[in-house]
Amino acid sequence: ADQADASTHNGVVSLDSDSYRVADTVTVTVEDMDLNADSELIDVYTVDTGTDVVGDGTDTVLEFTFGGNNFINCTVGGADPQGLEDTGFTLAETDVASGIFTGTFQVPAEVCITTSTDQSSTGLDLDVTYTDFLDASGNEIEVGASATISAVSGSVSLDREVYPVPWTAGLFLNHTGDGNVTMASGAAVGSVNVNIQVADQDYNTSPTGEDTIPSGQVQIMGYRGSDFAALESSFALTETAADSGTFEYEFMLEPTDVIMSTALKQGDVITAVYIDPTDASGNSYNATDSSTLDMRSGSLLSDKSVYVIGSDAIITLVEPDLNFNSGSIESYSLGLVEWDSDAGTKNLNDSCSSSCTFDPEPSKFRETGSDTGIFQTVIEIPTKFGTTNLDRGEKIDLEYVDYTPSGE
């Protein structure tokens, strides 16, 4: 009887995505029963050291190219780009006699053009070619799959459009001028909290961990006309949550920060510069966001024009220059405001070391919410100051001294 020829099969190769970013994992799948050389074992095909392709050095089974150039290694200087073998790639059968083979590698940031030159992988096409030595018709053919290596243009943002000018000790005083007004931290100097955020999915390399943008990619600059100075630069940004692609860093504008040997002042511009190594076109790009330093006039308000002795009065201080941290609720001394009437003249924090004259609640001017710059307290209209009673019809003047009015 005649002996029938062993049947052969058409091979197929595929990638698990049409688009990848740097550091993404590429999974390639080859389906071809002809590669199932041993039906009792899981067959594995490795990368040839000399050629960086899957094969034996003579016959090529599988090869990858970036932008038409083979996935080889090269010597450029510094961090030399790796080839396919360096990634540890293998093409392994998924199960005994399955005829389905997979392999993975991570997309490199740089790929080689020659053995001594490289380029960014972003913007290039990734092509994979499988050589089917015997298809169903007994012919040798090549089949392939393609994807693109893309990137996202990053952006940078500051948390406010306007920041107050950092103050030095002695700039903000109690109404009587006999003591510094302190921040909630107890500090007598006003350092401004600045939050920087960078949105760039290219640095979101771990779906479960919090990634970072390395130090040096973001700079904080101060500008005053044609003069400028670097205010902050040596810091890394941390992802706000796993897989968010948004990174942040907080720092303080200090009273000691200077531009051309002069402290920061009203009208100065604060600019965040993010150096995006690969934007959507694969090129380096500087993204920026700017805010100004400004001093604004404060105002003092009460909730009524007439009060009954013993009743509560809501006192509101609107002072954006005291809003030093947009992410927290701040508090300041009631000594900022003076009460003046026929019965006497006292700061609203009078005798608070023992028993407050005005029984305030809270005991400080507390911000109504984060980043409002509006501070409130509730005081009780007292019946007397010491032995002097308040009279009905007595006029009350409340006064706040603004040490940083607008335009000065």
Side-chain angles (χ1 to χ4, degrees):
D2 293 334
Q3 185 174 8
D5 293 334
S7 62
T8 56
H9 308 81
N10 287 329
V12 178
V13 63
S14 61
L15 296 168
D16 63 327
S17 178
D18 294 328
S19 178
Y20 299 98
R21 293 183 289 112
V22 170
D24 280 353
T25 297
V26 176
T27 299
V28 60
T29 301
V30 175
E31 299 180 49
D32 192 348
M33 287 300 299
D34 299 339
L35 290 180
N36 178 34
D38 191 327
S39 60
E40 295 182 356
L41 298 174
I42 291 178
D43 295 293
V44 178
Y45 294 84
T46 59
V47 178
D48 176 62
T49 303
T51 59
D52 270 312
V53 299
V54 177
D56 59 9
T58 301
D59 295 323
T60 297
V61 175
L62 193 71
E63 65 178 334
F64 295 89
T65 61
F66 284 92
N69 299 302
N70 288 336
F71 190 8
I72 61 174
N73 61 15
C74 52
T75 302
V76 180
D80 296 332
Q82 297 180 330
L84 182 62
E85 184 198 17
D86 299 317
T87 68
F89 182 88
T90 59
L91 189 65
E93 199 170 14
T94 58
D95 201 355
V96 173
S98 71
I100 301 173
F101 300 77
T102 62
T104 62
F105 66 89
Q106 198 172 43
V107 177
E110 304 289 326
V111 292
C112 301
I113 301 173
T114 67
T115 56
S116 59
T117 57
D118 66 349
Q119 65 179 329
S120 169
S121 62
T122 301
L124 301 180
D125 288 332
L126 167 63
D127 295 304
V128 57
T129 303
Y130 168 60
T131 303
D132 186 352
F133 291 99
L134 288 172
D135 67 0
S137 301
N139 300 314
E140 178 180 328
I141 63 169
E142 291 183 348
V143 293
S146 299
T148 57
I149 309 302
S150 61
V152 176
S153 293
S155 63
V156 64
S157 61
L158 296 166
D159 60 326
R160 288 196 269 180
E161 294 181 358
V162 178
Y163 293 97
V165 178
W167 86 58
T168 56
L171 181 58
F172 270 92
L173 302 174
N174 286 331
H175 191 278
T176 54
D178 59 358
N180 288 313
V181 170
T182 59
M183 305 180 74
S185 63
V189 293
S191 299
V192 181
N193 184 281
V194 178
N195 180 281
I196 310 155
Q197 284 197 341
V198 170
D200 194 343
Q201 287 290 338
D202 296 341
Y203 279 102
N204 180 24
T205 58
S206 172
T208 57
E210 292 183 357
D211 301 300
T212 59
I213 293 178
S215 175
Q217 294 301 114
V218 178
Q219 296 180 331
I220 306 301
M221 305 293 297
Y223 292 92
R224 182 182 300 143
S226 59
D227 296 329
F228 62 91
L231 303 177
E232 193 90 3
S233 60
S234 299
F235 59 89
L237 293 87
T238 303
E239 199 169 14
T240 56
D243 207 32
S244 71
T246 300
F247 304 79
E248 68 178 0
Y249 175 74
E250 287 189 0
F251 78 101
M252 304 295 261
L253 285 177
E254 306 284 359
T256 53
D257 288 331
V258 297
I259 299 175
M260 296 299 289
S261 302
T262 303
L264 297 176
K265 60 184 181 180
Q266 179 172 257
D268 289 346
V269 177
I270 307 301
T271 299
V273 182
Y274 168 50
I275 306 168
D276 186 350
T278 48
D279 64 5
S281 61
N283 301 314
S284 178
Y285 172 76
N286 286 359
T288 62
D289 189 33
S290 295
S291 301
T292 56
L293 297 184
D294 197 10
M295 294 188 294
R296 288 158 290 180
S297 297
S299 60
L300 188 64
L301 308 169
S302 60
D303 64 324
K304 298 177 183 177
S305 58
V306 177
Y307 292 95
V308 175
I309 292 175
S311 66
D312 289 339
I314 301 173
I315 309 301
T316 301
L317 175 61
V318 181
E319 180 53 281
D321 295 343
L322 291 177
N323 179 22
F324 279 82
N325 189 337
S326 65
S328 68
I329 295 175
E330 300 169 271
S331 299
Y332 293 95
S333 169
L334 296 179
L336 286 167
V337 174
E338 178 191 77
W339 166 300
D340 182 38
S341 71
D342 290 342
T345 300
K346 298 180 181 293
N347 285 357
L348 293 189
N349 65 343
D350 180 63
S351 300
C352 279
S353 59
S354 55
S355 177
C356 295
T357 300
F358 296 97
D359 192 22
E361 181 59 41
S363 60
K364 292 180 179 291
F365 277 113
R366 181 181 296 166
E367 198 171 13
T368 57
S370 59
D371 201 29
T372 65
I374 300 172
F375 304 83
Q376 285 186 335
T377 190
V378 179
I379 64 170
E380 182 181 311
I381 304 298
T383 58
K384 59 183 179 180
F385 285 168
T387 59
T388 305
N389 291 325
L390 267 70
D391 295 328
R392 292 180 180 178
E394 187 168 335
K395 181 182 178 182
I396 302 168
D397 290 318
L398 297 176
E399 184 178 81
Y400 164 67
V401 178
D402 189 348
Y403 288 94
T404 58
S406 177
E408 295 189 9

